C-alpha cells in the first residue's frame, strides 16, 4: 500500500480527528456565522453571478430542454439546481456532480451509451457543495461547503448487488480560509489535498485534514488553482498575467515537506482565467482576458533554469471569464465562454467548431475523459457529454503527416486504418 493514499483505513482514522467545539463557544460561533453570512451576501462570487445570469435567461424565454446538437452524446438530468462542479472517477465507472440544490449525485457511467442510468443522490445538510472530487481509490469523495468554507470527506461502501449505498461523513476539516474557496483538488497519488481562496491563500493538507504547507499565490486575486496529473505541481492563475507553478516536495514516506515556486508561464498581457493539462503534464494551456489562449511545452529541466516553451496561441473573443480544457493527447483545446463551447486545434490555433447556447446559463466546468473521446460539461441543472469530433479530425491530420515520412509497412498499415476508422466515426456522428 502506498503511504498516505486515501484508503478505507485512512478514512476511518480521519473520523477520530474531527474536532468538536465545546458548548461554551456557542455564542462566539453564532456571531462568527452572522459575520460570514453578511460577507456572503455582499460578495459577488461566480456562483451568484451564474444564478443571476440563469434568471435573465429564463426571463428571455430560453428553454434548456430544447437543446440539440449532432455532437451531443448524452445528458444526465437529476439536479433541481445549478450544477456547480463534477469529477470523473479514476476507474472510469462513476461521475460525481454537485449542485446548489444541496446534493451530490453519483452517476454510473461505465457504459456511456446506456439510457437507464443508475444514480445515487446524496443530501448535504444545511449547506450546499461548491466543488466535488473523487479520492484516487474511488472509495470516498470530497466536497467544499459554500457557507462553512470547509472540506468534508464522505466514505462510500457497496451493497450486495454491487451498487453504492448511502455514504457516511468521515471527516470535516477545520476552517482555515476566511474568504471563499475557489478551488479544491486532490493529488492522484493520494498524498495531499489542495484548497485555495480568492485572496491568494493556498493550503496543502494531508489526508487527516492537517495543514502541511501554505503559500501566498501573489496574484492580487486568484481565479484558479489545480494539481497536475503527475501530482508533482500545483498551478495557479489570477489577476497577474503570469501563471505560477509550484512544486510539492514530499519525503520518502510521502509526507509533504515544502511547497516551492519553480517556474512561470509568461506571455499573456492580462489576467488569466483558467489552466488545463494533458495526461503526463508535458503541456499546459491557459486562457486570458487578453483574448488569447496559449499552449506551453512544460517538459523541461526547470532545475537547470530551462523555461517553458510556447507552442501555439489561439485568438478567442470571450464574453467575460472563460474556462479552458486540454485533451489528454494535447491535440484539442476547448474554451467555454458563458454558455458556448469553442473547439480548437492546439497545433494551428484554428477554431474548428462553435456550439452555442449549451446551457441556460454559464458552463460551470468541463473536462475530457481519459481516452479523449468525450467532453463532459456541466451547467444549469444537468451534465452534457459531447463527442470530441475535433480530436478525430486532428488524429487524421497527424496520421497523414506521419505517412509523408518513411514508415515501416506495419506502421503505414496502422496509420491508414486509423484514418479510415476516424473518418467513419466522424461520418456517423455528423450525418
Amino acid at each position: 500500500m502506498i503511504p498516505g493514499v486515501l484508503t478505507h483505513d485512512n478514512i476511518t482514522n480521519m473520523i477520530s480527528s474531527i474536532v468538536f467545539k465545546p458548548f461554551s463557544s456557542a455564542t462566539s460561533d453564532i456571531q462568527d456565522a452572522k459575520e460570514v453570512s453578511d460577507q456572503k451576501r455582499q460578495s459577488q462570487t461566480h456562483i451568484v453571478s451564474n444564478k443571476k445570469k440563469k434568471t435573465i435567461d429564463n426571463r428571455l424565454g430560453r428553454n434548456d430542454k430544447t437543446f440539440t446538437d449532432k455532437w451531443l452524446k448524452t445528458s444526465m438530468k437529476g439536479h433541481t439546481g445549478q450544477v456547480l462542479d463534477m469529477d470523473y472517477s479514476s476507474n472510469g465507472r462513476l461521475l460525481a456532480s454537485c449542485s446548489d440544490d444541496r446534493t451530490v449525485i453519483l452517476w454510473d457511467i461505465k457504459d456511456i451509451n446506456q439510457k437507464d442510468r443508475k444514480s445515487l443522490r446524496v443530501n448535504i445538510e444545511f449547506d450546499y457543495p461548491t466543488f466535488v472530487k473523487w479520492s484516487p481509490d474511488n472509495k470516498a469523495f470530497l466536497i467544499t461547503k459554500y457557507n462553512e468554507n470547509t472540506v468534508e470527506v464522505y466514505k462510500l461502501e457497496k451493497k450486495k448487488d454491487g451498487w453504492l449505498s448511502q455514504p457516511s461523513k468521515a471527516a470535516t476539516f477545520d476552517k482555515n480560509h476566511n474568504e471563499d474557496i475557489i478551488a479544491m483538488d486532490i493529488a492522484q497519488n493520494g498524498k495531499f489535498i489542495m484548497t485555495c481562496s480568492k485572496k491568494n491563500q493556498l493550503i496543502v493538507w494531508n489526508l487527516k485534514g492537517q495543514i502541511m504547507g501554505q503559500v501566498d499565490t501573489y496574484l492580487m486575486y486568484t481565479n484558479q488553482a489545480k494539481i497536475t496529473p503527475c501530482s508533482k505541481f500545483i498551478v495557479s492563475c489570477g489577476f497577474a498575467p503570469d501563471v505560477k507553478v509550484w512544486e510539492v516536495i514530499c519525503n520518502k514516506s510521502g509526507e509533504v515537506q515544502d511547497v516551492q515556486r519553480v517556474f512561470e508561464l509568461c506571455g499573456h498581457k492580462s489576467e488569466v482565467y483558467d489552466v488545463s493539462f494533458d495526461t503526463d503534464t508535458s503541456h499546459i494551456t491557459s486562457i486570458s482576458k487578453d483574448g488569447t489562449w496559449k499552449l506551453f511545452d512544460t517538459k523541461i529541466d526547470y532545475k537547470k533554469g530551462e523555461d517553458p516553451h510556447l507552442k501555439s496561441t489561439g485568438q478567442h473573443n470571450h464574453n467575460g471569464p472563460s474556462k479552458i480544457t486540454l485533451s489528454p493527447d494535447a491535440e484539442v483545446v476547448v474554451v467555454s465562454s458563458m454558455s458556448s463551447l469553442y473547439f480548437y486545434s492546439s497545433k494551428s490555433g484554428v477554431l474548428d467548431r462553435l456550439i452555442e447556447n449549451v446551457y441556460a446559463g454559464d458552463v460551470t466546468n468541463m473536462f475530457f475523459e481519459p481516452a479523449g473521446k468525450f467532453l463532459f460539461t456541466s451547467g444549469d441543472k444537468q451534465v452534457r457529454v459531447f463527442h470530441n469530433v475535433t480530436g478525430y479530425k486532428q488524429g487524421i491530420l497527424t496520421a497523414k503527416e506521419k505517412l509523408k515520412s518513411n514508415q515501416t509497412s506495419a506502421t503505414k498499415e496502422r496509420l491508414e486504418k486509423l484514418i479510415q476508422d476516424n473518418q467513419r466515426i466522424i461520418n456517423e456522428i455528423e450525418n
Side-chain angles (χ1 to χ4, degrees):
M1 180 176 71
I2 300 174
V5 173
L6 194 58
T7 64
H8 182 278
D9 291 337
N10 286 337
I11 291 293
T12 303
N13 292 335
M14 292 168 75
I15 299 175
S16 62
S17 66
I18 301 175
V19 179
F20 294 93
K21 294 185 179 180
F23 180 78
S24 59
S25 66
T27 303
S28 61
D29 284 350
I30 292 172
Q31 181 61 33
D32 291 342
K34 182 179 183 301
E35 292 176 359
V36 170
S37 179
D38 290 340
Q39 292 173 4
K40 298 289 184 179
R41 284 195 294 268
Q42 294 171 5
S43 66
Q44 297 295 318
T45 67
H46 72 286
I47 297 171
V48 174
S49 299
N50 285 340
K51 284 183 178 179
K52 290 181 178 179
K53 173 66 170 55
K54 181 171 65 175
T55 300
I56 293 171
D57 286 334
N58 290 338
R59 288 175 180 174
L60 291 174
R62 288 186 54 187
N63 185 354
D64 199 43
K65 294 180 180 179
T66 63
F67 176 81
T68 59
D69 190 88
K70 291 181 179 180
W71 289 18
L72 180 65
K73 175 63 178 177
T74 189
S75 297
M76 302 180 197
K77 303 174 183 178
H79 285 292
T80 58
Q82 185 185 35
V83 180
L84 302 175
D85 193 28
M86 59 179 177
D87 193 35
Y88 193 91
S89 67
S90 61
N91 61 13
R93 297 178 179 179
L94 296 165
L95 181 83
S97 60
C98 68
S99 167
D100 61 11
D101 63 7
R102 296 186 176 182
T103 68
V104 172
I105 296 183
L106 309 179
W107 307 87
D108 179 5
I109 58 167
K110 59 185 176 183
D111 182 3
I112 199 68
N113 295 306
Q114 62 188 354
K115 293 183 179 179
D116 298 325
R117 192 180 308 280
K118 285 184 180 180
S119 64
L120 176 67
R121 181 183 299 273
V122 182
N123 294 318
I124 307 300
E125 294 182 340
F126 313 122
D127 206 341
Y128 65 86
T130 52
F131 297 100
V132 62
K133 294 293 178 185
W134 284 103
S135 65
D137 64 4
N138 308 301
K139 293 181 179 180
F141 66 85
L142 295 76
I143 64 167
T144 55
K145 299 180 76 172
Y146 178 64
N147 288 311
E148 294 184 12
N149 243 11
T150 56
V151 174
E152 286 188 345
V153 182
Y154 288 78
K155 179 178 64 176
L156 290 168
E157 293 184 357
K158 290 185 178 181
K159 297 186 290 186
K160 292 182 179 180
D161 63 1
W163 184 235
L164 302 171
S165 60
Q166 275 292 330
S168 58
K169 188 192 299 185
T172 301
F173 289 12
D174 289 341
K175 179 179 178 180
N176 278 279
H177 288 288
N178 294 320
E179 300 291 336
D180 289 343
I181 294 174
I182 55 90
M184 184 264 289
D185 209 351
I186 181 169
Q188 286 304 300
N189 61 12
K191 294 180 180 179
F192 64 93
I193 296 163
M194 178 277 301
T195 57
C196 187
S197 73
K198 190 73 176 177
K199 293 295 184 180
N200 307 319
Q201 183 188 21
L202 192 153
I203 300 177
V204 176
W205 313 74
N206 67 12
L207 304 181
K208 295 181 180 180
Q210 299 168 331
I211 295 178
M212 304 302 291
Q214 191 168 177
V215 297
D216 187 322
T217 61
Y218 296 105
L219 292 166
M220 288 289 286
Y221 58 78
T222 305
N223 289 326
Q224 185 61 271
K226 296 178 180 178
I227 300 173
T228 58
C230 65
S231 300
K232 189 174 182 179
F233 305 105
I234 297 174
V235 181
S236 62
C237 62
F239 181 77
D242 301 325
V243 176
K244 316 293 184 183
V245 180
W246 310 79
E247 182 179 6
V248 180
I249 301 171
C250 299
N251 60 22
K252 293 182 179 180
S253 63
E255 297 177 340
V256 175
Q257 294 295 295
D258 198 6
V259 182
Q260 298 179 354
R261 191 166 68 184
V262 288
F263 61 89
E264 298 181 355
L265 307 178
C266 304
H268 286 297
K269 298 178 181 179
S270 187
E271 74 174 280
V272 180
Y273 294 132
D274 195 14
V275 293
S276 184
F277 325 103
D278 61 358
T279 299
D280 61 358
T281 322
S282 60
H283 295 87
I284 300 178
T285 187
S286 57
I287 180 76
S288 171
K289 187 179 180 180
D290 65 11
T292 68
W293 59 261
K294 295 183 181 296
L295 179 68
F296 296 89
D297 180 354
T298 51
K299 194 174 183 179
I300 57 172
D301 191 349
Y302 58 90
K303 291 183 179 180
K304 293 185 178 180
E306 185 180 1
D307 293 323
H309 311 291
L310 178 62
K311 293 192 69 175
S312 61
T313 298
Q315 300 297 318
H316 176 63
N317 297 320
H318 60 87
N319 292 307
S322 305
K323 295 184 180 299
I324 194 166
T325 190
L326 182 65
S327 63
D329 59 4
E331 294 279 337
V332 179
V333 170
V334 179
V335 174
S336 71
S337 180
M338 297 180 69
S339 62
S340 298
L341 300 173
Y342 300 76
F343 290 75
Y344 294 89
S345 162
S346 66
K347 292 181 179 179
S348 66
V350 174
L351 177 65
D352 177 50
R353 174 87 195 280
L354 164 62
I355 304 177
E356 297 182 288
N357 302 322
V358 176
Y359 294 105
D362 292 354
V363 175
T364 57
N365 194 12
M366 59 177 182
F367 53 75
F368 288 96
E369 46 81 34
K373 295 180 179 180
F374 300 105
L375 175 74
F376 283 71
T377 69
S378 62
D380 196 42
K381 300 177 182 179
Q382 56 193 290
V383 172
R384 287 201 161 113
V385 184
F386 292 86
H387 292 281
N388 180 18
V389 178
T390 304
Y392 290 113
K393 293 178 181 178
Q394 291 304 305
I396 292 173
L397 293 175
T398 300
K400 288 182 176 179
E401 283 297 317
K402 291 181 178 179
L403 285 172
K404 292 179 181 179
S405 58
N406 293 327
Q407 303 287 352
T408 64
S409 58
T411 300
K412 183 178 179 181
E413 182 179 347
R414 180 181 61 81
L415 291 172
E416 289 175 342
K417 186 177 185 304
L418 186 149
I419 292 171
Q420 293 174 357
D421 290 345
N422 281 15
Q423 190 60 60
R424 174 181 52 79
I425 294 171
I426 293 171
N427 292 341
E428 291 173 353
I429 295 170
E430 297 197 323
N431 294 332

